[in-house]
Amino acid sequence: MTRTFRTAAVIGAGTIGLSWTALFAAHGLTVRVSDPRPDLAEAVDEALARSAPHLAARGLDVTDLAGRVHIAAGVTDAVRDADVVQENGPERIEFKQDLFATLAREAPGHALLLSSSSAIPSTEFTKELADDAAARVLIGHPFNPPHLVPLVEVVPGERTGEEAVKAAVDFYTSVGRTPVVERKEIPGFVGNRLQNALSREAVYLVEQGVVTPEELDTVMTNSLGLRWATVGPFLGSHLGGGPGGYRHMAEHIGASMKRMWADLGTPSQNDEQQERLIAAVEQAYGSATYPELTETRDRRQLAVLSALDSTDKEEN
């Protein structure tokens, strides 16, 4: 039986937590937010105002976002009647161990306990929990900003129950996300490992003086980023093989690909090199403010999502 989700608790109101808050509220959930930051109410108001136009552009009702969001007195208050809890705390095992012990104790027994952890598998921070508590804990890792980027990596722990996995998929689907269940735990999960692999080579190329940070971004947004946003790496390679598909690609350029893999660089990233890289990125993008850059990013992401929506409708 599909669960009904009416109330969500958001624990941790940094960039990710605030984005989740706006998304959940836009989908009609009552949202209770907890964070020790002294400016929590102001941060929530600003995030809702900033996110509302983007959510409206995705066809969501944003007329009363603030009316659906409540500032909780603390974690216990936030989770007291939650159907789902989305944790967004620091990437520290000890912190998450303590927090999830509290969540398991204070949240209703039916509540799904989800973590936005970007690197730590839930098995690592649920070792001290009883089996029935660990059974409803799993990773729901988004990409920034989660109110716009659809992917959520759903990663069960060793003791996560199958019913909780299904419920997590149902929940994220109900708020317009695209959940992908990963079959085994691995540090960093899938998305961040791919991102880190690409980032390592990007840093190496800049460090070697092949391109500047801005030129590398231009290469990506005008080639692989464009291609992968529509078909992904494997389908892209399959199509790159022509009528013979991925088999033709592997048989004809597989050897050169392996040589290139062996030649991929490892940046030194000593203090001097890291400072040069930071200075180069700041030179490329430092003239614009953070809000200006994020607004440009989000507007472009909306355009990509809208284009993908349109083509999907045409194909169906």
Side-chain angles (χ1 to χ4, degrees):
M1 184 176 68
T2 302
R3 291 195 196 182
T4 299
F5 298 96
R6 296 186 178 88
T7 301
V10 173
I11 310 300
T15 301
I16 299 299
L18 291 171
S19 183
W20 278 131
T21 297
L23 177 72
F24 296 163
H27 279 272
L29 277 72
T30 296
V31 186
R32 304 192 192 283
V33 187
S34 173
D35 191 291
R37 58 188 296 176
D39 65 338
L40 179 56
E42 293 83 355
V44 168
D45 288 343
E46 290 174 5
L48 295 180
R50 186 170 59 249
S51 304
H54 306 145
L55 293 164
R58 300 298 293 158
L60 296 171
D61 179 10
V62 297
T63 54
D64 190 30
L65 285 184
R68 301 180 198 128
V69 178
H70 306 276
I71 305 302
V75 171
T76 298
D77 181 42
V79 304
R80 56 186 165 83
D81 58 354
D83 300 305
V84 59
V85 179
Q86 185 80 44
E87 174 268 331
N88 314 280
E91 290 288 297
R92 299 198 307 269
I93 292 178
E94 295 79 8
F95 174 88
K96 293 187 186 297
Q97 284 176 332
D98 291 343
L99 178 57
F100 273 85
T102 300
L103 297 179
R105 183 176 64 250
E106 302 295 340
H110 71 277
L112 195 59
L113 306 179
L114 303 165
S115 173
S116 295
S117 174
S118 61
I120 306 172
S122 64
T123 297
E124 293 297 316
F125 55 81
T126 58
K127 291 179 179 178
E128 303 302 319
L129 294 182
D131 286 345
D132 60 340
R136 54 194 178 114
V137 178
L138 67 165
I139 301 298
H141 172 238
F143 277 75
N144 186 33
H147 73 279
L148 287 184
V149 182
L151 178 69
V152 181
E153 296 180 280
V154 175
V155 190
E158 292 177 0
R159 292 188 290 160
T160 303
E162 291 184 10
E163 196 277 335
V165 177
K166 180 182 183 303
V169 169
D170 289 344
F171 170 66
Y172 288 125
T173 301
S174 75
V175 293
R177 303 304 85 191
T178 302
V180 173
V181 179
E182 296 176 7
R183 288 167 169 76
K184 62 185 295 186
E185 292 180 301
I186 188 169
F189 316 121
V190 174
N192 274 339
R193 292 179 73 92
L194 292 172
Q195 179 173 251
N196 287 337
L198 183 61
S199 294
R200 184 176 73 173
E201 183 65 14
V203 170
Y204 177 77
L205 292 170
V206 172
E207 186 178 281
Q208 294 298 306
V210 179
V211 287
T212 67
E214 191 171 17
E215 288 166 346
L216 191 137
D217 285 348
T218 298
V219 168
M220 176 57 65
T221 55
N222 287 274
S223 62
L224 295 178
L226 179 65
R227 178 188 296 166
W228 290 348
T230 58
V231 294
F234 279 115
L235 179 52
S237 296
H238 184 60
L239 295 174
Y246 195 83
R247 180 179 296 278
H248 178 85
M249 173 79 76
E251 290 174 350
H252 285 75
I253 68 169
S256 63
M257 287 174 63
K258 290 177 183 177
R259 286 195 297 271
M260 194 176 300
W261 288 346
D263 191 51
L264 291 175
T266 299
S268 63
Q269 279 295 277
N270 56 42
D271 290 346
E272 182 180 352
Q273 289 285 9
Q274 184 170 353
E275 186 55 39
R276 287 179 183 173
L277 179 64
I278 292 170
V281 173
E282 289 177 343
Q283 180 178 356
Y285 300 116
S287 61
T289 66
Y290 176 75
E292 289 170 342
L293 291 172
T294 54
E295 179 60 30
T296 298
R297 176 202 65 191
D298 294 346
R299 188 171 63 251
R300 290 176 177 176
Q301 288 182 158
L302 279 169
V304 171
L305 289 169
S306 178
L308 292 172
D309 287 346
S310 297
T311 55
D312 287 345
K313 290 174 182 176
E314 291 173 3
E315 291 170 1
N316 293 329

